[in-house]
C-alpha cells in the first residue's frame, strides 16, 4: 500500500516536472511562486511558532 502511494506520488512529481520543463520560463517562475506561497500557508497553519512570528510583524 505505501509503495503504491509513493509510486503514485513519484509519477505525479515527474509529470509536474515534465510539464514545467516544457513551459516557458515565465510560467516556471509563476509555478515556483505558487509553490512558495503554498508552502508558507501550510507552514503558517501547522507551526505555532511560525504563526506567532508572522503575527508579530
Amino acid at each position: 500500500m505505501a509503495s503504491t502511494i509513493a509510486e503514485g506520488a513519484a509519477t505525479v512529481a515527474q509529470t509536474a516536472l515534465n510539464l514545467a520543463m516544457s513551459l516557458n520560463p515565465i510560467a516556471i517562475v509563476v509555478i515556483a511562486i505558487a509553490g512558495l506561497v503554498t508552502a508558507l500557508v501550510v507552514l503558517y497553519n501547522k507551526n505555532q511558532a511560525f504563526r506567532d512570528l508572522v503575527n508579530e510583524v
Side-chain angles (χ1 to χ4, degrees), residues 1 3 5 7-9 13 17 22 26 32 34 37 39-40 42 45-47 51 56:
M1 174 102 179
S3 64
I5 294 171
E7 198 172 296
L17 180 61
S22 67
I26 293 173
V37 169
L40 290 173
V42 169
N45 288 331
K46 300 284 183 178
N47 190 317
R51 190 174 324 139
E56 286 178 11

Side-chain angles (χ1 to χ4, degrees), residues 7-53:
E7 198 172 296
T11 301
V12 170
Q14 185 64 49
T15 302
L17 180 61
N18 290 343
L19 178 64
M21 291 300 177
S22 67
L23 297 175
N24 61 35
I26 293 173
I28 293 172
V29 170
V30 170
I31 291 169
I33 291 171
L36 180 62
V37 169
T38 302
L40 290 173
V41 168
V42 169
L43 184 60
Y44 183 85
N45 288 331
K46 300 284 183 178
N47 190 317
Q48 183 65 42
F50 181 76
R51 190 174 324 139
D52 292 340
L53 179 70

